[in-house]
Amino acid sequence: MTGAVHLPLDLAELSFTATGDSLVRRSVLPSGVRILSEKVPGARSATIGFWVAVGSRDEDPFTYGSTHFLEHLLFKGTAARTALDIAVSFDAVGGEHNAMTAKEYTCYYAKVQDRDLPMAVDVLSDMFTSSLIDPQEFETERGVILEELAMADDDPGDVTSERFFEAVLGDHPLGRPIGGSPETIEAVTREAVLQHYAENYRPQDLVVTVAGAVDHDELVARVIAALRRTDWNIDVEGTPVSRRTPSGHLIERGSPLTVVQRPIEQANILLGVEGLAVTDPRRSTMAVLNSVLGGGMSSRLFQEIREKRGLAYSVYSFSPSYSDAGLFGIYAGCTPAKVSQVTELMLAEFRSLARDGVTADELARANGQLSGASALALEDSDTRMSRLGRAELSMAEFVDLDEALRRLELVTADGVCELAEELVSRPLTIAAVGTIDPEAFAGLAELPAPATQ
């Protein structure tokens, strides 16, 4: 394979060989269902995912949290299977099954031995298309989700992250919590979730991805047979839903400084700026920048704040990206008395990267770290399955390992410095949780007095 492979929605069949002689195939059924597989030589297991390009950002104001609520409910039974039947199907063969709700997609997945892949197709197809969303189960699961939210609210790291997203992205839909809030979960109705289900779980929305020990023709036949046993009419002509395009919703930063008071031993600090969208051609440059600044034990943040000064156990940077926005953040956890010092050091390293750039050794080390991590991740069929899903839903192209490494090789020290300069020039946001003196951030980056919670 040379270069990235484009994935047009109007192309019925596509086949190519990727790095390591894995065979990637893609079929778009007449109904709009898309099926992608990657056959990995020597694999004895397979990971399968059922995807829709609907996440928390797509919810109406009166249904915040309904996407995550629905994800829970699809495990609670169909006309053909109870919740216990679904669980037993995978437990009885030593398989794993779960789901994830993100800001821009939802995925239901399972990992099984190759011989059990037909079962996984049948069970996931039934769950995905035919959930009963039983009224009693709905109320039971409402309680479960409220407990999940309470658990997250007890985790200062989670709270800091949520406040950081809200602060950087402001009123943008990406700034909302994926799970909603206790108030919205208490208020959402079964009818609203049913409507969300009916509007977004249709043949033209479904993407099935499988990686590992898989025969594509057998997979397609099995998916068609399984879907025909449901209420879906997959013999009707349909067109895959269009891929997400930038919403045009402008990013207007929320609170530049938010402090949540909690009686805990550590202060959790997140500072950062708006980052890059997932389709930005500088994503490889961002990956290198992130690696140098806070992506590992040899990174500048780790070495300066933990190794040299012993001020934190955990310190790192990160750069999540979405269809029309992204973030770049730096995290550290430290004793409350050291908040001001640690924050100043985090900012100093961030600004130093923009001012002084990266060395040749740092550039080479980052390239090696990212290249090696990418190769090792592909030892797992879960990673390959997810790569197929993201390629189809978000990127509109498949990038294999060779192409990813080629793009990394093109990253230059000047490019990293230019991106760092751009990021540093953007409005800075700080979110912190702990027993923190509000004056700890006074004077930093010309920030106003904090909004305490």
Side-chain angles (χ1 to χ4, degrees), residues 20-180:
D21 294 325
S22 67
L23 177 62
V24 179
R25 293 184 61 186
R26 173 178 179 261
S27 299
V28 180
L29 304 184
S31 61
V33 173
R34 288 164 280 171
I35 305 173
L36 296 89
S37 69
E38 182 174 8
K39 184 175 183 178
V40 181
R44 295 295 304 272
S45 64
T47 303
I48 178 172
F50 277 51
W51 303 72
V52 287
V54 179
S56 59
R57 69 170 296 171
D58 303 301
E59 297 163 345
D60 296 324
F62 300 107
T63 61
Y64 289 162
S66 58
T67 303
H68 176 241
F69 205 144
L70 182 59
E71 176 223 299
H72 277 240
L73 292 167
L74 262 59
F75 288 88
K76 305 306 290 185
T78 69
R81 292 176 174 86
T82 66
L84 180 60
D85 291 334
I86 293 170
V88 166
S89 296
F90 293 100
D91 286 352
V93 298
E96 304 168 2
H97 72 296
N98 211 327
M100 54 184 171
T101 303
K103 292 183 182 288
E104 296 193 317
Y105 60 79
T106 308
C107 177
Y108 304 82
Y109 59 92
K111 185 172 186 177
V112 293
Q113 295 182 77
D114 50 1
R115 66 186 183 189
D116 298 313
L117 184 57
M119 175 277 294
V121 171
D122 289 347
V123 175
L124 289 175
S125 296
D126 189 31
M127 287 172 51
F128 190 90
T129 64
S130 306
S131 175
L132 295 175
I133 309 186
D134 177 80
Q136 183 174 343
E137 294 284 7
F138 184 89
E139 292 305 324
T140 300
E141 208 60 26
R142 190 197 303 273
V144 171
I145 294 171
L146 289 171
E147 291 298 330
E148 183 179 1
L149 294 178
M151 180 177 67
D153 195 52
D154 282 342
D155 185 330
D158 283 355
V159 175
T160 311
S161 178
E162 293 291 4
R163 297 297 182 271
F164 181 66
F165 269 78
E166 293 169 359
V168 175
L169 299 174
D171 291 332
H172 193 286
L174 287 169
R176 297 197 302 260
I178 291 173

Side-chain angles (χ1 to χ4, degrees), residues 153-441:
D153 195 52
D154 282 342
D155 185 330
D158 283 355
V159 175
T160 311
S161 178
E162 293 291 4
R163 297 297 182 271
F164 181 66
F165 269 78
E166 293 169 359
V168 175
L169 299 174
D171 291 332
H172 193 286
L174 287 169
R176 297 197 302 260
I178 291 173
S181 67
E183 293 75 21
T184 60
I185 295 301
E186 287 279 14
V188 71
T189 65
R190 176 175 178 268
E191 289 69 28
V193 174
L194 275 170
Q195 182 177 353
H196 185 70
Y197 186 33
E199 291 176 350
N200 296 295
Y201 285 60
R202 305 165 300 173
Q204 60 265 43
D205 295 298
L206 174 59
V207 172
V208 178
T209 64
V210 181
V214 55
D215 179 279
H216 186 79
D217 292 329
E218 292 179 5
L219 171 66
V220 170
R222 192 79 192 195
V223 169
I224 291 173
L227 294 178
R228 280 185 174 148
R229 289 192 290 272
T230 72
D231 293 333
W232 279 12
N233 186 350
I234 64 165
D235 295 315
V236 173
E237 292 288 327
T239 304
V241 292
S242 299
R243 292 189 176 99
R244 193 185 300 275
T245 56
S247 64
H249 193 128
L250 296 178
I251 305 291
E252 294 185 4
R253 183 177 58 160
S255 172
L257 178 57
T258 301
V259 176
V260 180
Q261 295 293 341
R262 291 285 177 88
I264 53 179
E265 293 298 318
Q266 272 200 323
N268 292 256
I269 311 161
L270 261 174
L271 65 84
V273 297
E274 184 183 345
L276 302 182
V278 72
T279 54
D280 193 300
R282 297 172 295 172
R283 285 297 302 161
S284 293
T285 302
M286 176 67 95
V288 171
L289 185 158
N290 182 66
S291 175
V292 170
L293 184 62
M297 294 177 68
S298 65
S299 68
R300 294 186 180 187
L301 288 168
F302 194 94
Q303 286 296 311
E304 183 66 28
I305 295 175
R306 174 169 165 164
E307 295 295 277
K308 292 182 181 179
R309 301 174 184 264
L311 294 172
Y313 174 77
S314 180
V315 56
Y316 57 87
S317 60
F318 61 103
S319 57
S321 57
Y322 308 96
S323 61
D324 54 359
L327 293 87
F328 181 74
I330 303 171
Y331 169 85
C334 66
T335 184
K338 302 294 185 181
V339 165
S340 182
Q341 181 182 5
V342 169
T343 305
E344 288 174 354
L345 288 168
M346 293 160 75
L347 281 169
E349 291 300 327
F350 186 22
R351 291 166 177 162
S352 172
L353 188 64
R355 182 183 64 250
D356 304 326
V358 298
T359 67
D361 284 346
E362 286 178 320
L363 190 65
R365 189 164 61 242
N367 195 308
Q369 181 196 40
L370 294 166
S371 299
S374 297
L376 292 175
L378 293 177
E379 295 291 316
D380 189 346
S381 61
D382 296 17
T383 300
R384 291 177 182 265
M385 182 279 290
S386 295
R387 180 174 63 171
L388 289 173
R390 292 192 303 271
E392 180 63 42
L393 293 176
S394 303
M395 305 299 296
E397 65 175 11
F398 179 90
V399 178
D400 77 347
L401 181 61
D402 285 344
E403 174 62 13
L405 300 186
R406 186 189 71 82
R407 293 181 181 185
L408 282 173
E409 288 288 349
L410 295 175
V411 175
T412 65
D414 287 344
V416 174
C417 186
E418 289 170 4
L419 179 56
E421 289 175 346
E422 180 180 329
L423 294 175
V424 165
S425 71
R426 295 176 177 178
L428 180 71
T429 297
I430 297 178
V433 176
T435 306
I436 301 170
D437 182 351
E439 294 301 314
F441 302 105

